[in-house]
Amino acid sequence: MTAEVWFSLVVYLGLLKLQTSYAQTSLAIPLQTTCPVLNFFDISSLQCASCPNGAFPDKTQRACVSCDATSGEAYNFQSGYSMVQTWAPAVLQSAQVCACQAPPANSTAVVASAASNGTFFQRCVLCPTGTVANSLNQCAPADNKTSLPSTPAQQLQQALQQLNIGLTLSAAVQASISVPTSSGSSQLTLNIQQSRPLAELLGPSALTCKQGLGADRAACNAVANLCALTLYDSTSGACRMYDALVNLFVANSVGASPPPPSTAARRVTTNFKPETGSMPWLYYDGVGYTDDPHMDLRVQFSGGNVAEGQVSLLNFVLSSYLLNGTWLGYNMWTSEFQLCGAPKGDGSRWYRVGWNYKNSCSIKLEALLAEVAAAFTGAGDTVMHDLFLQVGTSTLYPIPVLISNMITETTVENSGAVRRFFFVDGRLGFSAQSQGLQAVQYAADMQLNIVLRRSPRDSIYVPQLTVTYSAWETNTLSTINLASDTINAQRPASFSVTYSNEPDLNSRFWYAWQTILIVFEVVLAFPAMMLSLFRYIRKKREQADLDFLVYIAISFADIGSFALAMVLLVVSLYYLILYKLQEEVYFLMLPDGDLENFKITVILAIVGQSLGLMWMLWRQLRTDVFFIDWEKARKVLSKEGTREEPAPVSCWRMLMVANEFNELQTVRVSYPAFTLLMMVMILEGANFIAAADVTPDASDYRNYYGVTTSIILRFGVEAFLFLVLFLGQYLFKRLLYYPYIANPVTQFVDLMFLANISTLIFDDMHSGYYIHGRNQAQHSDTTLRELNQELLKEEEGLTAQRGLVNSTANPKLADNQHFLMYITDAIRKTYDAKMLQLVQQATSDARNRKGVVNTFLRGSGRQRDAVLSAYQDLMLLFKQMIEDVERNQATQVSDPTYLQMILQLPPENAQNNPAFVHDYFSSFTTTIFIGNEVRLYVYEALFFCAIDMSLRNVALSALLTFFMVRVVSYLRAMFGEDNLSQKTLVDRHFLI
């Protein structure tokens, strides 16, 4: 075999070994709290381990002890005094006790503990001359002289030297804490000189951990805790000691191999858990640690258990430590870490899959100090935590913690996580130099994010806890502090749990959203827009560019926004049903922060519908109304008594019809007050709004503290209730009330027929509506007896039918009184010249004479004779037009097809002669509220939902919506009455 082949083989094996060493393995660990008799519990790895050969667990089973069978002598000179230790062999006396094998004659020996090479030794130490063994198994001076043990500062200095850390003693015990300024817009760094935990705990812990090579796990954990307490500041002495100890232990565990990569290099590998030796695991390596396939835990909305591997309740476990490294054991995480507090039971419901939770408030310094009351005197302790998720009956999976304000060396997403965190801390900010608490650290914001995988759909990514720390300066003597009333200042604090989808699932949501949007806008809205424009062009005989452009803009905004409202309804109802009724976890609700497109759509819909509503009101308030009185004058004797002459026709019938039409203008099918009252009663009274909570229960309408609400679910619940209330009121009116009790439109037409008055309504220059009210009675201005006789004749079929057209072949046509009307340009110009211009001139004169407001409120006053004469002339003109149509009904009156009913286009002969088209849907109601019920109701629902989306208050939203409805109705009634008064010459004093 050649040298090149040998070299290639060696390189291949080396690469294979390197690849294997960095291969990703499962991070899950067994859940162990007790160990077998001959094993010890490693509080750094939280696992039971076997003691080395010849060693046995100590009484706490937290460390291994062996009898030191060697003998020797050690000498150390430091700080002006010397230390000498001489020891003899020790042997195992009982199961867990060592004794001196054969101490030298005339010597005193004690069995003392020492740490070396990762193991505790029980060593037979020979007491120096002048010392005796005391009851504590120590060598004490015989002449009661006190020995001088190393101080924490001396031990810290030794640790810095032995670990080759280039920090001064003062720099190693200095802590830097960032506190917000008074404005809250920036951060101010407080330098705590001689921070008590760093000054008293760092040196002894680091030295003990180093000298024993990790044998004292509590000491090693204390170093890691202090590093976490500084928010993993890589320049702090604690974190530099942690890195140095990790490098030392890993190097010793692999013999002559080089130490692991430095901190910076260590965090770009692909192995999530680096080798740390006897030190606890603090830093995650690499990126993408939340996408670990080894955490195979399936979730569902109800049922399941850990043993089956499919759960609806996530069990999070905390492994807690005191700051000195003492392990406190495992605890279930329920309602901890909530500065705002929570009612018993409600603060821990978030571990139910799909149960989004948020608890936020503003806290005062005194409330924060209550959490660390003992720390204010420097005597309290801070508890550190490692977070796990239980994925099996006896298996824990570590959960990464991302500290948002931690200074990291990478900005890559899904990187830079750590293992250990704390909630509140009053120790790091306590200065041993000033003997005062200068700052308190606390978790101002904690967010636990659980993300649903796309495949398999019922599995989740590794949850991640994101913590944002803040600090509060508590030294009121500081010159940086503002004023004594700072104690009353409040700062935000929050705790939240969010269940969400992975980005690909969210993108599918927006893909479905865009698909529905395109379908509604292109398939439904665009044809409706084109039809509206086509109808406008056909009706308008003289096109004005500005008017046409305005109509295009309004029409597109109106119809497009209505389609957007339908999209909002469909999407919100779909996801309400999908989320609340899904048995398997198929889709989780998007957080409100990701629903900007939904909010924008709501805004666009309400703006477009507002434009459409104002356009509708503008058109209705400019409608021309004309009453034709068909009543024939009675013959009476003249004053001389020599001849007959026509008597004046009474105006009271026209006044009565005008009053009824005025009242009809704002009549609605639905009752807004009833609708909004029912909304408040059902949503708030019955707590039906709880269906919008991001919880997995579709039938649970109880009120829970801290549960979050989705704007999509809330919109869906409110839109669904509006839809149900509308259908209920509409069906009640159309199927029961109108046919059997009273129909305001039918009653108005009947009144016109009895009064022998017809109505012309122009909503456009050359088109409008005609309501035929002419009857066959000799006189309508008569007694009740004669009126009843005429009605009896009609009931018995002794009179002609009410319609304009006499048709024996089709009774439906003969009885129809509603028509779409198209007039010639000559008739329109005559109406404008003889009537409208005079009315406008009279109104203008009244405004100049009495003022705009007074004219609007009280009317223009008595009409001039010229206006009244013009009205009579126009009445004759319109009578002739209708009689002409009646005589030529075969050519000027048409029965529309179904397509013509939908399109409502003018007939081809409408430009040369007046044309009437039978109307079977009372289309004249489009000029008043009752014919625009859907538009008005949709606007009210959209307005309510938009206000509630911002306020999250049903009662206040209903009140504001009711106020809006009353304002619109008032404006329509007042301006509509003024328009009716001007166009019919009925003074407003008679419109009561």
Side-chain angles (χ1 to χ4, degrees), residues 967-983:
V967 168
V968 172
S969 180
Y970 175 79
L971 293 177
R972 175 63 179 86
M974 293 297 294
F975 285 97
E977 182 178 305
D978 182 67
N979 178 69
L980 183 65
S981 174
Q982 293 183 34
K983 301 299 174 59

Side-chain angles (χ1 to χ4, degrees), residues 654-664 980 990-992:
M654 184 175 292
L655 294 180
M656 187 175 181
V657 170
N659 272 278
E660 289 300 319
F661 186 81
N662 185 45
E663 293 178 2
L664 189 64
L980 183 65
F990 297 103
L991 297 176
I992 55 177

Side-chain angles (χ1 to χ4, degrees), residues 199-262:
E200 297 180 354
L201 189 59
L202 180 58
S205 299
L207 190 61
T208 302
C209 180
K210 187 266 176 186
Q211 290 179 345
L213 288 180
D216 191 340
R217 295 293 201 272
C220 297
N221 271 280
V223 177
N225 290 341
L226 292 173
C227 178
L229 199 62
T230 63
L231 302 186
Y232 300 90
D233 183 2
S234 60
T235 63
S236 66
C239 290
R240 293 182 66 175
M241 284 188 176
Y242 171 84
D243 286 334
L245 289 170
V246 168
N247 292 337
L248 174 66
F249 295 162
V250 172
N252 288 341
S253 65
V254 295
S257 61
S262 64

Side-chain angles (χ1 to χ4, degrees), residues 513-585:
W513 169 271
Q514 294 172 0
T515 301
I516 297 175
L517 193 64
I518 292 174
V519 168
F520 274 77
E521 292 291 347
V522 175
V523 178
L524 300 179
F526 185 74
M529 294 176 189
M530 295 297 101
L531 175 61
S532 177
L533 292 179
F534 181 63
R535 185 185 300 161
Y536 178 85
I537 295 173
R538 284 289 302 271
K539 286 185 177 182
K540 289 291 184 180
R541 299 175 187 176
E542 296 178 359
Q543 299 291 340
D545 293 340
L546 181 60
D547 292 343
F548 184 64
L549 292 177
V550 170
Y551 183 83
I552 290 177
I554 296 295
S555 177
F556 273 58
D558 184 20
I559 299 175
S561 62
F562 185 83
L564 290 180
M566 295 301 101
V567 171
L568 293 171
L569 173 66
V570 171
V571 170
S572 59
L573 286 180
Y574 173 75
Y575 283 102
L576 175 65
I577 297 171
L578 172 66
Y579 181 71
K580 287 294 184 177
L581 298 184
Q582 59 182 340
E583 296 181 0
E584 301 294 333
V585 181

Side-chain angles (χ1 to χ4, degrees), residues 754-827:
L754 293 176
N756 202 17
I757 292 176
S758 296
T759 302
L760 300 174
I761 303 174
F762 295 97
D763 64 345
D764 210 334
M765 285 293 295
H766 301 91
S767 62
Y769 311 94
Y770 172 66
I771 307 173
H772 187 60
R774 187 181 61 188
N775 60 38
Q776 304 299 325
Q778 186 174 1
H779 293 286
S780 293
D781 191 3
T782 184
T783 63
L784 285 176
R785 180 185 296 275
E786 293 181 358
L787 197 60
N788 286 331
Q789 288 178 353
E790 291 296 328
L791 293 176
L792 182 61
K793 290 180 181 179
E794 183 183 20
E795 184 179 350
E796 294 175 351
L798 300 178
T799 60
Q801 291 179 300
R802 295 187 175 187
L804 176 66
V805 177
N806 296 321
S807 175
T808 57
N810 192 344
K812 180 180 179 182
L813 298 180
D815 203 40
N816 181 48
Q817 297 175 262
H818 302 170
F819 297 88
L820 302 179
M821 176 181 60
Y822 303 93
I823 62 174
T824 61
D825 188 56
I827 295 177

